[in-house]
Amino acid sequence: MEDRIAFEDEVRSLFNQPRIKKVECDILNLYQKCEKRNDRRERNGFAIRQLLNIRKYFLEEDFQLNEVSRQLLMEFNSALKTQLEEMWKQTIALGEKAVYRSPFPGTEAIGKCFLGYYYSRIHPVQTVRAKKMWAMLNGTLATFEPLYEDGVTHSFLVRTSLEGLEYDSCNQLLFLNDDPDNWNAGLDKEYTKDLHLIYAFHNLWDAMHFSIFDLLWVRDFNVELYVESNYATYSGEYDDLDWSKYDFYK
């Protein structure tokens, strides 16, 4: 317990560093300007993405897993894994009700999982600045991380095939493999060898703007489930255009 309190005090001190406060305030100021001047949205959006990368670098510059952060990472990974497993089941159930009976051949059931829209109440930093930064990161205001449009990992799809419903196994969703794995790249291999970290953690931490300190205390998620159909109203043969040819000058 004392170790956890000491770690949380260190995290509060980290987020209170002048350079962290400065970069986060710059991000939030730029977003406010985006809201006031729509013509600045693209330029400021690019600047915000660069500053989010800088923020992540500053926060993690000296980060090393200890017993407390390792335990928090295990808890986050477990909560995320449980939610993705539930989403996998719910999307299949939706597919069985809607996709299998659909008269349209291009119908799919789609499941996406996002980190909770509301800021974690157990995070040691509970400032207004931290809560607004979370809204910047998790896409509730705007999407500054294109990879996050599908959520914590790729969308899970259930579609029809000649054999019935077609979809990936739960392990494919969790590990990108039919066998369990451990996505611990970038972390101490020996210290994390038994954590069974799922791909979604690696995707959030390694490929996006989320720092480890943004993720450790997340226990809640938002799930989107929906059915999508695409079909054409035309029939017959149409031009098969050859885009390798320069045949458009006539």
Side-chain angles (χ1 to χ4, degrees):
M1 185 64 179
E2 290 182 1
D3 289 343
R4 188 152 186 160
I5 293 173
F7 178 69
E8 291 183 350
D9 284 341
E10 290 176 7
V11 172
R12 279 188 283 268
S13 296
L14 172 63
F15 276 83
N16 205 37
Q17 286 183 4
R19 63 177 183 169
I20 302 299
K21 293 175 69 173
K22 174 69 165 58
V23 73
E24 289 190 339
C25 287
D26 285 347
I27 291 169
L28 295 171
N29 280 326
L30 280 172
Y31 178 73
Q32 282 193 326
K33 291 177 182 178
C34 286
E35 290 295 286
K36 293 176 181 178
R37 290 276 303 274
N38 194 54
D39 59 318
R40 295 185 179 182
R41 184 171 294 274
E42 184 174 347
R43 182 184 66 185
N44 286 359
F46 175 80
I48 286 171
R49 288 190 289 273
Q50 306 313 306
L51 288 171
L52 286 171
N53 281 330
I54 293 172
R55 172 188 178 271
K56 178 174 180 174
Y57 173 79
F58 283 167
L59 285 171
E60 296 183 346
E61 189 174 10
D62 299 316
F63 173 73
Q64 289 184 338
L65 275 178
N66 56 29
E67 283 301 319
V68 177
S69 56
R70 183 178 184 275
Q71 178 62 34
L72 288 167
L73 178 57
M74 288 175 60
E75 293 171 10
F76 168 66
N77 187 70
S78 177
L80 180 56
K81 179 174 180 287
T82 297
Q83 188 54 68
L84 285 172
E85 289 171 337
E86 182 62 25
M87 185 195 78
W88 182 81
K89 295 176 185 176
Q90 292 172 348
T91 311
I92 294 172
L94 179 62
E96 290 172 343
K97 291 181 178 179
V99 175
Y100 194 67
R101 300 175 183 176
S102 173
F104 308 115
T107 303
E108 296 177 329
I110 302 170
K112 296 183 180 183
C113 178
F114 298 86
L115 300 174
Y117 297 154
Y118 296 113
Y119 186 65
S120 173
R121 293 185 181 275
I122 64 172
H123 197 291
V125 181
Q126 290 292 321
T127 63
V128 172
R129 174 166 52 90
K131 293 173 183 178
K132 287 191 171 182
M133 276 304 307
W134 181 245
M136 296 288 297
L137 287 164
N138 71 10
T140 56
L141 295 177
T143 303
F144 296 105
E145 175 54 74
L147 290 176
Y148 195 61
E149 291 182 2
D150 285 331
V152 300
T153 184
H154 58 280
S155 302
F156 175 60
L157 306 178
V158 177
R159 54 173 66 93
T160 54
S161 69
L162 294 176
E163 291 76 28
L165 289 181
E166 179 181 87
Y167 51 85
D168 288 336
S169 68
C170 192
N171 275 346
Q172 279 284 351
L173 176 65
L174 296 174
F175 302 105
L176 303 190
N177 198 313
D178 282 326
D179 297 318
D181 205 341
N182 187 21
W183 286 85
N184 61 346
L187 297 169
D188 186 298
K189 298 289 187 182
E190 186 65 23
Y191 204 43
T192 58
K193 64 182 181 181
D194 59 343
L195 294 191
H196 306 294
L197 297 170
I198 61 176
Y199 171 74
F201 159 71
H202 171 79
N203 191 43
L204 288 164
W205 181 54
D206 187 68
M208 301 189 199
H209 300 315
F210 296 96
S211 80
I212 194 75
F213 297 108
D214 299 315
L215 301 174
L216 290 178
W217 290 273
V218 174
R219 301 292 179 271
D220 296 312
F221 307 90
N222 279 78
V223 173
E224 293 182 5
L225 301 174
Y226 54 95
V227 175
E228 185 174 272
S229 294
N230 293 290
Y231 65 94
T233 61
Y234 48 80
S235 60
E237 295 184 2
Y238 285 81
D239 295 328
D240 184 14
L241 301 176
D242 186 348
W243 290 95
S244 67
K245 294 180 180 179
Y246 293 91
D247 53 4
F248 44 79
Y249 288 101
K250 295 180 180 180

